[in-house]
Every structure is written in structure tokens, then in C-alpha cells.
Amino acid sequence: MRRRSALLCAAAWLAGCATQQWIYDKPGLKPAKLDHDMAVCRKEVKDPQTVSLPGSLRGDRAIFNRCMERRGYTVRTEKAS
């Protein structure tokens, strides 16, 4: 019974994460610059002990967002449709 509860809780948590999309805005932004800045910030927050899904951030989202803000981005979230 505990295993089932843990799996349901994990599934609900993952579903909740999947519905939130992070948006990084900056005036005059070029896609290559966004990719570069995101790569730099990912390196700053990378935690090799953190387990994450492929393609998701492997570190603290708050630290990543502060890094992006220091680079001039406006950070906001949006519900994915």
C-alpha cells in the first residue's frame, strides 16, 4: 500500500511540474544568445547528486532564475496548454 501511495504522489508531482512552463524574456533577444545564457546558467546550478528527468534542469530552479535575471532576462511562468 505504501508503494502505491508513493507512486501516486510522485506521478501527481510530475504532472504538476509538466504543466508549468518557464519563460525568459529580454528585449532584442536572439535564440542563439538565449541558448548560450541558459547553458552558462545550467553550469552554475548543476548538481551531480540531483536526479532529474532527461531534458529538465538538474539543479535549483531559483538559482538558475537569478542567474538569468542577472543576465537581463525577465523570468515568469506560464501554464502549459
Side-chain angles (χ1 to χ4, degrees):
M1 186 64 165
R2 277 188 170 175
R3 180 184 253 177
R4 182 182 299 169
S5 295
L7 287 173
L8 287 174
C9 184
W13 179 77
L14 287 173
C17 291
T19 61
Q20 188 175 32
Q21 183 176 355
W22 291 90
I23 308 294
Y24 300 96
D25 288 325
K26 186 176 182 179
L29 179 66
K30 294 184 181 180
K33 178 66 174 158
L34 174 62
D35 291 342
H36 170 73
D37 289 342
M38 290 181 84
V40 170
C41 289
R42 273 191 207 100
K43 286 180 185 176
E44 187 174 307
V45 302
K46 189 172 185 177
D47 182 0
Q49 296 178 345
T50 302
V51 176
S52 63
L53 296 173
S56 64
L57 183 63
R58 195 171 179 179
D60 188 332
R61 176 62 71 174
I63 295 171
F64 180 82
N65 287 344
R66 283 193 300 269
C67 177
M68 292 297 283
E69 287 172 343
R70 283 195 313 269
R71 295 178 174 286
Y73 292 86
T74 301
V75 180
R76 62 185 170 90
T77 60
E78 191 174 88
K79 291 280 185 185
S81 45

